[in-house]
Every structure is written in structure tokens, then in C-alpha cells.
Amino acid sequence: MATTSTQMNRRLFLKSSTLAGGGLMMGFSWIMSCKDQKKAVGQLMPEDWIEVNGYIKIAENGMVTIMSPNPEGGQNVKTSMPMIVADELDADWDMVVVEQAPLDTDKYTRQFIGGSQAIHQSWKTLRQAGASAKYMLIQAAAESWGVPFDEIVTSKGQLSHSGSGKKASYGEFATAASQLEVPDPETITLKQLSDFTIIGTSKKNVDTQKIITGKPLFGLDHIQEGILSAMIVHPPAFGLMLKDFDASSVKNMPGIKDVFAINTYTDDYEWQFFDTNSFLDLVVVVGDSTWEVMNAKKALVPKIEWESRPDLEVAQDMFGRKTSTKFPAGLESTSDHDRKMKEMSNQKGNERRKDGNPEKALREASHVLERSYTAPFLAHNCMEPMNFFAHVTREKAEFAGPLQKPEFTEKTLSARLDIPLEKIDIKMTRLGGGYGRRSYAHWLVEAGIISQKMNAPVKLMYSREDDMTSGIYRPAYRATYKAALDADKNLTGLHLNAGGVPQSPLYADRFPAGALDNYLAEDWTIPSNITVGSFRAPSSNFMACAEQSFLDELAEEMDQDPIEMRLELLRRAEKGPVGDRNDYDPTRYKGVLELVRDKSNWGEEKPGIHRGVAAYFCHNSYVAQVLDLVMEDGKPKVEKVYCAVDCGIVINPDAAKNLLEGAVVDGIGNAMFGSLSFENGKPNKENFDDYRMIRMSEAPKDIEVYFVDNQADPTGLGEPAFPPIFPALANAMYKATGKRYYDQPFL
């Protein structure tokens, strides 16, 4: 039964990953690209490899293995990161094999994904890894051939010296190179950008063959002899704690090994999210198979008593910073949240930035445009529910599963399981969707505790209902904008007041800060025991919608074209920026707006087509979008999206385009339908039958992606295209219906 569930999950993932914005590329890997090559590679695949450095192993026949250090969550880093190494190595990509690197903080740095930072943060390190290995191979060849180092040329895994006519593959000098001292990476000369041969070309996903043939890749695929299945009963509402339970009858059900309570709290909960449920006792069911455990769990639920829990206060926040975080007692409801947020938005908030005298500008304005925007809690809805394998013994602790930040989990496990760090091994599997949900590791800690108690290998699995009702969510937000206009409809000041439950979405130094002489940004928060955290472009996905929707309405109030109005503000920030802490480059920001304007033929009237525009900067990248919408049977339908992106150097164009397309579709779905509310601490939705997701027929017919051609270091792509699609859709829907959309979801 477990195998059947895994296969079903994989089919669902393959069918739906593009809709969820997972960035999965459906294509053939180089191994499968042609029969002859596949046969040749199969014959060449060696048994012995020589490790040149932590990233690179080379076989005598010239095959190169490149380790991909970061988890793969559908964003294609398992292909793009090795491409960077291979280019500096001057490897032949057709002779490259990619492996998922194990968690090893001595060999690798920043082994996690999140914030669209994988490529951005590792760009130089990956290049140095390839260049250092190439240096050692050249050095080994120069010493063997007795020729000057700088006379040896490398190309596609080959070394050559024109003067002597000598040639050799990398494999012939791999052993000698591995015995040399690794050079200081800072002393290595990296390639000129014009010399790249792999970076900037489209390469197929290295895992495609395994994905389409159902080979083990995901955490749910992990099988081991003697493995037990485990599931957890979480509190049915946020704000409850375990009082008592009767497991006597459940323990006698077929295949059930044990039923018991656990607590995952530790004082050294480094980089883990403070899930209020994880401070409390959770009830665990362990058995021989998934099916038997699921049935036992259902039978156990009515036999558990819950009670209200008191206030909680912890000494760290979700980033491990020493602070005071409060989780109030009580069963919260969305109606109370909405009322409190409205009250807070009408009060003075925490001043985060002030330029000039915005209060005076508002007092003296001929007209003040004021609008408020709201967004609900959102669930992540990864296609693969949370799961992890654990086998904890006295000698070691082995873990395997989908996790975005394994590098920050070892200390937590060490403290909670009382096991030295060096005895903990975490293997990274492919994520069946992440979006920030797998940034936290409470389920991994749970799996470890269960395995330790059972003294057996265990696979912990959450059901869809577990994940959606006891999840970590995108917070609920509210933002109010006030714009001051003079008699000539010139913008003279802006006041932004934003907050949320329980986090603030405010980025005080983002556009249009820096473009206005009079600007005020304030924020506030409302404490909550509902767990929130990373989401695709957290906070940005709301602030982009509020900001860009307001700017569109403001442009209409000022009788200006919405793109030209934005460009004029950016010209002000470019020529005479206000303040010295603006976190965006107005020239690059302008660039994507101008590019999308030109590529979409903005201003051209098309019968039946209603157009919206938006642009946003986040995660170091700039994205502008024009969305074409039609009305079908009285309902909005996205026809086409134009997407202009400045993310610096594009490593793998096909993969980058795919990732942006996924973000666009994901954003449209969340903007139109995404919503989760609470009644007395209980979420109102439990599964996909009532949590509305975008359907294939609702995805745009066409998405055109254009990249700004520059030589800036690469930046993020998984998240930046997600926020602006919300307001681009809202602005297009206004053109179609004559109604402004202030509250998410729009339908």
C-alpha cells in the first residue's frame, strides 16, 4: 500500500507541478537525448572515480561527476549549479554526471534553498570549484609533459599543448591532479563572461529520466528493510494542547506497533520555526504499513481529549535571533483578525522610514486618495505532503527526505536526540514542492524522536489534512495607502501603513521610497498562535499587489498612463534619489518596464482584451508583467502574460523560463482563489476538495518571457515573478469589470 501511495503521489506531482509553480521541466536529459549516446554513456560509466575536490570526481575514461550541493525543489538547481562548475572546468557536458551531494558543511557552504538565493549566493564558489580543478589538471599535465603551465589549453575535458602536439583527457591526469595541493580559490583566474560555453545555454533537467520513469527521487520513495510507518495526530485547532488519550483499543488493531505521545521542544531549536503545536505533546501511531497506521489514526482521534493551552513565550524567533516571541492563548477566528487589523491600520504604527514632511503634504493636498488592501492566510499545498525517514541508533542517526534547509537542522537534532553532530547524516531527496513550507524541520525532529523510541527505522508521513490544518501559512495582511495630490494632480506625498497577523509585510525602503520628497512608512503586528513562515516571495507577494494596484489607481487619478507614471517616478529616483538606503536600482527597474512595454505593444487596443501591468523588485531581481485578460461567460480568463526579467546572467534559459512560467501560473491561482480562514482556531479547509487551486484550463494560453541582457551576477528567479502577477491580474480585471479589487482572493 505504501508503494501504491508513492506512485500515486508521483503521478500527481508530475501532472500538477507546473500549475503549482514547481519549476519542473518536462524534457529529456542528455543521457536520453539519443539512443547512440545513451548506449555509449552506459558503456563508459566507470566504477572508480578520483575526487579532485569536494565538487568534482573524474574517472580515468574522462567521465566527470559534479556534486550539486543544494536541495532540488523543482527550481532546477541540480542542473544549473553543476553547469556553472562544468563551464569553469571546461568539461564536456555530454560526459558529465550529476549527483546530489550529501549534507557536508565542511565541503560545502549554504546547503539550503530559500529566498531565491541558491545561484546568487553560490555563483562565485561554484566557479572557483571548477576553475581550481582545471588549474590542478593543467598543473599535473605541465609537470608530466615538461611544458609551461600557461601554454596548455583546455576544452571539453581535454588538455592539449600545441608546441609538442601532446593531448590527453582529464581522466588521464585525474589521479595526479588529486595529489596536488588545492590552490587558494582567490588566486584562481576565472573565465571572462564572453568565454562561457555552457552557462547561457539550455540544458535539460538531469533528473528528467528518473522523473518520467518513476525512479526513486522523493522522500516518499525511501524504503529500507524493517521500516515502520508513523503518523501523528495534531491538535484539531491552534490554541489547544493534549489533555489525555486512550490508546488501548487502537494498539490491538492489525499491524499497529505502538501509540504514544512525544514532545519535540528543545532549548536549541536553531533555525526551526516555533510551531506552537510542537511545544506540546503530539500523539503518534506506529505500525507496519501506511494503510494500517491511517486506519488506527482515524480510530484514535475520538479517543483524544484536548484542552486550551496557556500563553507561550519563547526566547528566539524563526531566524534563531534572541528575542521574545509570544503565542497568546485562546482560539482565534478570522473575523477577529479582520477587525483588529482594521483597527490597527487606523492608528499610528511603528515608524520605519520618513522622508520630508508627509503629514504636511497630506494636510495641504487638494485631494487625498486613500485605499486599503487585504490578503488572507494561504496554505502551501505542496504536491508531496511532509515526510521524513529516520533511523536513530546509539551509533548514528540517519535521515532522508525533502528539506529546504538541512544545514540548519543538525544542531536541533543533536540537542533533541542527545547525539553528537558528527554522528548525524541527512540525505537530501528531491522536494515534491517546497515554496517555503519545507524550510522548517519539525517533522524531521518528530521522525527522529519516534525512531529513537521505537529503536527501528521509521518513515513519518503527514496526510494532506495534517499539512493543511496543522501547517505553516502565509500570514494575513492589511495595507493602507494615502496619496497627496495638488491642484494640478501632481503627487506630493505618500503614507503607507501596513501590518499583519502575526508578521508585518512592510519593506520600507522599496519603491516608491526614494522617488518622493515626502514619504512615510509605518507598520504593526497582531500576535497570534497560528504558525506562519516562509511562502513563495513572503510578504512581497502581498505588498506587490497592494502597491502596484494602488499605483494603477493613482495613475488613473492623475490622468497618466500607468507605465509612464511608474517610469516617471523611477526617473526621479534615478536622477535625484531621496534618502541613501533605497534597496533597488531605478535604472534596472526602468529597464524591465520599458522592455515589457515594448514587447507587449502596450497602448495598442485589442478588441475584447483587457490589459493590466505591474512591476516589482524582490530577491535581487526585477520583473515587469503585462497581463491580457478576456471575459468568458462573465468570468475572467487570462489569455496571455508578457514577462520581462532582469536577473543578471541567465545560467540555463529554458529552465529559467520554465521557473518564471510556473511562478506566473502559481500567482494567478493564489490571487484568484487562495484563501484559508479560521473559526475558533480551526482552519476552514482541509484538502483540495475545498481549497481551490488553479486548474489547467485556467492557466494562460501563452506566457512570453524576455530577459534583460546584461553581465550582472545572477540573482534569484524562483520568487521574483510571483508577486507582480497579483496586481497585474487585479489591474486587468478592473479594465474588464470596472471594479477595483482590494481584497484577495479576487473571485
Side-chain angles (χ1 to χ4, degrees), residues 50-58 85 88-90 127-145 147-150 152-154 157-159 168-190:
I50 299 95
E51 183 174 313
V52 181
N53 62 33
Y55 288 86
I56 298 166
K57 295 184 291 185
I58 301 176
V85 177
E88 287 288 355
L89 178 62
D90 271 338
R127 294 182 68 189
Q128 288 172 335
S132 295
K134 180 174 70 175
Y135 182 97
M136 295 162 70
L137 288 163
I138 295 174
Q139 185 179 352
E143 292 176 1
S144 175
W145 292 343
V147 300
F149 178 96
D150 56 8
I152 294 178
V153 175
T154 58
Q158 299 288 321
L159 300 135
S169 73
Y170 282 176
E172 295 177 59
F173 284 105
T175 299
S178 68
Q179 296 170 357
L180 297 172
E181 183 177 348
V182 178
D184 181 350
E186 297 297 331
T187 66
I188 299 298
T189 301
L190 301 177

Side-chain angles (χ1 to χ4, degrees), residues 288-359:
D288 290 327
S289 72
T290 306
W291 180 248
E292 291 167 323
V293 170
M294 287 177 67
N295 285 330
K297 179 184 172 184
K298 290 178 183 177
L300 179 64
V301 169
K303 301 178 183 296
I304 302 177
E305 294 182 61
W306 305 95
E307 62 183 353
S308 296
R309 64 154 184 78
D311 289 340
L312 287 175
E313 186 166 350
V314 296
Q316 291 182 348
D317 66 7
M318 61 180 288
F319 298 108
R321 297 174 297 202
K322 301 297 180 181
T323 186
S324 177
T325 302
K326 293 182 179 180
F327 297 96
L331 302 177
E332 303 168 39
S333 296
T334 294
S335 57
D336 293 330
H337 291 159
D338 292 344
R339 175 180 53 79
K340 290 178 182 178
M341 287 196 293
K342 190 172 183 179
E343 290 173 357
M344 294 297 290
S345 67
N346 291 321
Q347 300 174 16
K348 172 122 180 110
N350 302 305
E351 187 175 297
R352 302 304 183 187
R353 174 167 175 158
K354 185 175 181 180
D355 297 324
N357 193 336
E359 295 91 349

Side-chain angles (χ1 to χ4, degrees), residues 273 325-328 332 337 341 377 473-477 499-505 524-533:
F273 188 78
T325 302
K326 293 182 179 180
F327 297 96
E332 303 168 39
H337 291 159
M341 287 196 293
F377 287 93
Y473 310 106
R474 196 279 302 271
Y477 295 124
V501 181
Q503 294 177 350
S504 165
W524 43 267
T525 59
I526 297 173
S528 172
N529 58 39
I530 296 172
T531 52
V532 300

Side-chain angles (χ1 to χ4, degrees), residues 13 244 280 283 310 358 487 497 507 533 598 604 633 637 653 663 689:
F13 173 57
D244 197 8
L280 313 172
V283 185
N497 177 293
Y507 295 96
D598 297 343
E604 176 185 341
D633 299 324
K637 173 74 171 67
D689 61 331

